[in-house]
Amino acid sequence: MMRGWKVLALILTVIVACCAVSAWAFIAYLGPIALSTGEIGPSDQIVLLWLAIGTMIAGVVLGFMLDYSPVWTDRLPMLSDAGSAASLAGASLGSFATAIAFAVSIPDAVVVALIATAIGIVFAWLASRRIRGAVREVRAHDRELARVDALHAGGTRVRADVVDVRFHNTWVGGDAPLFTVTAEYDTPSGRKRAEGRTITTPETAPIVGGTVLLWFAGDGADASNVDIWRDPESTVDPDAADDYRAPVA
């Protein structure tokens, strides 16, 4: 897993740029039609429309990549707000840029400039909410990563017995099923029970009666501070590969 922010920052920047260009091109395409000024010819309007559509598609694809970023980085949680925050910020910038361009270049475009400004304000408000949400979730995610790293570095690893398995009907990355596993294990403070999420391949799905690897801190008194991983030596269900295969799109 990649821990650096450079690729994430680059993708977020490209999303902002794509959505800014898309918003600018789309409003610039509609503006002359609404004004019937003829300042931008029909062929130029078609170019603007395709530019708007193309950059919008690029922004959506990159945003989708961020939604499922745990496949390729551990810096963002699943279905993060970061992609939509970047898209809304870009749409706001593009709307404001269009408003300024129309206000400066076309004397009769005051109404279009005001509409573009209003659109930009709405996008900016929505972006600010998503940005705050993304910051909160990233901070919480970083705290969780630090907790797990500390457990693996200074905690105790045991082989725990699986007593319950709950499948979430979710496949991370399109083919890796997600489970919540409840397991029992021995600690210096006695027998404990804890639960945690784990991602496996379909054929190695956890099974009641099987085992998982579990890390706990200190004497194990805090059963909420654990981390659960798949145990490569656990027994598996021979039918798991079929039962947990991702649905065909």
Side-chain angles (χ1 to χ4, degrees):
M1 289 288 191
M2 174 181 53
R3 291 183 175 272
W5 289 97
K6 291 183 179 180
V7 173
L8 287 176
L10 176 61
I11 292 176
L12 287 169
T13 301
V14 174
I15 290 175
V16 170
C18 286
C19 293
V21 171
S22 180
W24 170 81
F26 193 70
I27 300 174
Y29 165 80
L30 291 178
I33 295 176
L35 293 169
S36 299
T37 60
E39 293 288 339
I40 300 178
S43 60
D44 294 326
Q45 290 176 10
I46 294 300
V47 171
L48 285 171
L49 179 60
W50 282 111
L51 180 62
I53 294 173
T55 49
M56 179 178 64
I57 291 173
V60 168
V61 170
L62 289 172
F64 183 80
M65 287 177 58
L66 286 187
D67 284 345
Y68 292 91
S69 60
V71 175
W72 50 273
T73 180
D74 60 1
R75 290 292 86 187
L76 290 176
M78 179 70 77
L79 299 177
S80 165
D81 280 341
S84 58
S87 298
L88 291 166
S92 176
L93 290 175
S95 300
F96 286 135
T98 310
I100 294 172
F102 272 88
V104 171
S105 61
I106 305 177
D108 297 330
V110 175
V111 173
V112 174
L114 289 175
I115 292 174
T117 300
I119 293 173
I121 291 172
V122 171
F123 278 133
W125 178 75
L126 293 173
S128 68
R129 291 175 59 88
R130 287 302 177 92
I131 289 170
R132 289 196 297 269
V135 170
R136 285 194 300 269
E137 68 183 10
V138 167
R139 286 176 176 171
H141 187 65
D142 280 348
R143 288 194 295 270
E144 177 64 11
L145 288 178
R147 183 189 72 82
V148 171
D149 287 344
L151 269 180
H152 285 235
T156 302
R157 190 187 79 168
V158 296
R159 181 166 278 112
D161 301 317
V162 178
V163 296
D164 185 62
V165 176
R166 186 166 74 252
F167 177 46
H168 291 274
N169 286 304
T170 297
W171 288 265
V172 178
D175 58 1
L178 173 66
F179 302 91
T180 290
V181 174
T182 303
E184 291 184 347
Y185 54 101
D186 293 317
T187 75
S189 62
R191 185 78 169 171
K192 299 293 181 182
R193 174 179 287 206
E195 70 173 28
R197 289 189 172 187
T198 185
I199 300 168
T200 71
T201 59
E203 60 271 15
T204 59
I207 183 176
V208 174
T211 56
V212 290
L213 299 179
L214 184 145
W215 284 258
F216 63 85
D219 64 356
D222 182 6
S224 64
N225 187 18
V226 301
D227 187 42
I228 292 176
W229 281 28
R230 182 182 71 84
D231 181 4
E233 297 182 12
S234 173
T235 57
V236 295
D237 182 350
D239 297 324
D242 293 326
D243 293 341
Y244 298 114
R245 181 181 295 119
V248 178

